Each structure stands twice: as C-alpha cells, then as structure tokens.
C-alpha cells in the first residue's frame, strides 16, 4: 500500500514538474511588445511521411491560435523547415495542413531550406524585418532555443519577441515530463541569462 502511494506521489510530482518547467520555458526571453504588425513563426519537426505528422499538426494549430485577434493589419503565419527525413519540406506540409485541413485563409509564408534550429532562425530573419511583434511556436523548450538563437543572430529583432500560445495547462500533460527531460538536454548550450523569465512591468497606481 505504501509503495503504491509512493509511486502515485512520484507520478504526480513528475507531472507537476513537467507542467511547471514547460510553462517557465514558454515565458522566457519574451517581452511585451506593441504594434500593428505581427509574425508567428512555426518551426517544423522531422516529418518522414507525405503528410504532416502529429507533432507538426499540433504546432500548426498552436501557431494559428497564437495569432492576435485584435485586428492587426499586417499579420503573417510563417512555416519554417526544409526536407529532413523525406523529400517534402516540413514547412510545405504544415502550410498544406493549415490551409487545406484547417481552412486557414490568412497570409502564409514558407521557408523551406533550413535543416536545423539555427538555420530556421537565420532563414526567416528577412521575413521578420518589418514586423512589430514576433512569436515563435514549437514545444516550449525548442521555441526558447529558437528565441535564444534570434537573440544571438539579431538582438534588435529579438527585442520584439512576445509570447506565443504554445503552452496550455492540461495539454500534453502526461508527455510533459518527457518533454521536460528532452528539453533540458536540448537547452544545455543556453546561458543562464537566455533562460531568464521575463517579468511583466509593474503598473503605476
């Protein structure tokens, strides 16, 4: 009985830890930018099949729900990812899912040459020069890594980063501990400053 209770407590602790860490990553290296124009960059995941896989489909949905609904005049959804593991570029598979399956009819741009996260950021930079707000969508640890890379490559553009809607409590709950472990490994090259969570400015009375 005690063993079962101990295992249950350990399982609950793992779920809470995974939720907390993914939430924290989703809030790191973002600001509170304002402006009328916005770009949401959705990063691709290795996709060996002819249609978007489950992870890429989720990233597309997270990208679409990250779009601001306040009437921004210039909003674009950017899919980034080349052909890794198949002949079809991740970006094109995600764009097809967004338009053909989800019925998204907004502005879509495609970057289909990159093969790594560093290249994702390098190749989308020309598509970000004229926007006021930038959101990067992926699993939280991967998105944080990409934001750190933007900060290294173009700190002026990184100052325009704001939160995407790629973390929601209760979503991927049972997978989040594994995502947290994988994320810790992927973020080993980031500095402590790059992991820092932005804090909302205090309102004056």
């Amino acid at each position: 009985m005690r063993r079962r209770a101990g295992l249950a407590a350990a399982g609950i602790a793992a779920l809470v830890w995974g939720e907390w860490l993914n939430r924290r990553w989703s809030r790191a290296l973002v600001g509170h930018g304002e402006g009328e124009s916005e770009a949401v960059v959705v990063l691709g995941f290795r996709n060996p099949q002819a249609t978007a896989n489950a992870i890429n489909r989720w990233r597309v949905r997270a990208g679409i729900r990250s779009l601001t609904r306040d009437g921004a005049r210039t909003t674009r959804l950017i899919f980034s990812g080349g052909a890794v593991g198949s002949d079809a570029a991740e970006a094109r598979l995600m764009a097809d899912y967004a338009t053909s399956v989800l019925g998204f009819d907004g502005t879509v741009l495609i970057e289909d040459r990159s093969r790594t996260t560093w290249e994702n950021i390098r190749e989308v930079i020309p598509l970000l020069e004229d926007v006021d707000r930038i959101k990067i969508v992926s699993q939280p640890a991967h998105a944080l890594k990409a934001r750190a890379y933007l900060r290294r490559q173009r700190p002026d553009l990184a100052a325009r980063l704001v939160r995407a809607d790629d973390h929601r409590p209760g979503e991927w709950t049972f997978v989040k501990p594994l995502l947290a472990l994988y994320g810790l490994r992927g973020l080993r090259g980031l500095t402590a400053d790059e992991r820092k969570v932005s804090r909302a400015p205090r309102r004056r009375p």
Side-chain angles (χ1 to χ4, degrees):
M1 190 69 176
R2 290 182 178 179
R3 184 178 180 183
R4 289 183 181 179
L7 290 174
I12 293 172
L15 294 177
V16 171
W17 173 75
E19 189 76 55
W20 172 79
L21 198 51
N22 279 275
R23 181 182 185 276
R24 181 176 179 82
W25 286 334
S26 74
R27 286 160 170 74
L29 292 190
V30 295
H32 308 274
E34 299 179 353
E36 296 183 338
S37 58
E38 174 181 270
V40 176
V41 180
V42 182
L43 305 178
F45 180 78
R46 185 181 179 88
N47 203 121
Q49 61 197 61
T51 57
N53 59 29
I55 292 178
N56 281 326
R57 293 196 301 271
W58 176 84
R59 291 184 184 184
V60 173
R61 295 193 299 272
I64 291 175
R65 75 191 189 197
S66 295
L67 294 167
T68 300
R69 304 297 182 184
D70 60 359
R73 293 187 304 174
T74 309
T75 300
R76 65 194 65 164
L77 186 60
I78 303 171
F79 295 107
S80 176
V84 180
S86 72
D87 295 330
E90 299 160 359
R92 295 193 177 277
L93 294 176
M94 291 190 294
D96 182 66
Y97 176 71
T99 56
S100 300
V101 179
L102 300 182
F104 180 72
D105 59 357
T107 300
V108 172
L109 301 179
I110 293 174
E111 180 288 298
D112 60 0
R113 295 183 295 180
S114 59
R115 298 176 63 85
T116 66
T117 307
W118 182 268
E119 291 176 3
N120 286 143
I121 296 305
R122 184 187 68 198
E123 297 299 326
V124 301
I125 281 176
L127 307 177
L128 304 176
E129 297 280 4
D130 60 340
V131 298
D132 300 313
R133 299 188 306 275
I134 300 169
K135 300 175 182 177
I136 298 179
V137 174
S138 184
Q139 271 64 32
H142 186 218
L144 171 55
K145 186 176 184 178
R147 292 195 294 271
Y149 284 172
L150 181 60
R151 194 183 191 196
R152 294 178 186 183
Q153 294 182 37
R154 286 289 301 274
D156 58 318
L157 293 180
R160 306 176 196 175
L161 285 166
V162 295
R163 278 195 60 211
D165 190 4
D166 56 3
H167 173 271
R168 289 184 174 181
E171 188 175 58
W172 295 77
T173 297
F174 296 103
V175 184
K176 278 178 180 173
L178 296 177
L179 292 175
L181 289 172
Y182 186 76
L184 286 172
R185 181 180 178 183
L187 296 176
R188 285 183 298 184
L190 269 58
T191 66
D193 187 54
E194 288 173 331
R195 298 168 185 252
K196 185 169 60 176
V197 175
S198 303
R199 298 185 182 277
R202 293 182 180 179
R203 294 183 179 180
R204 295 183 178 180

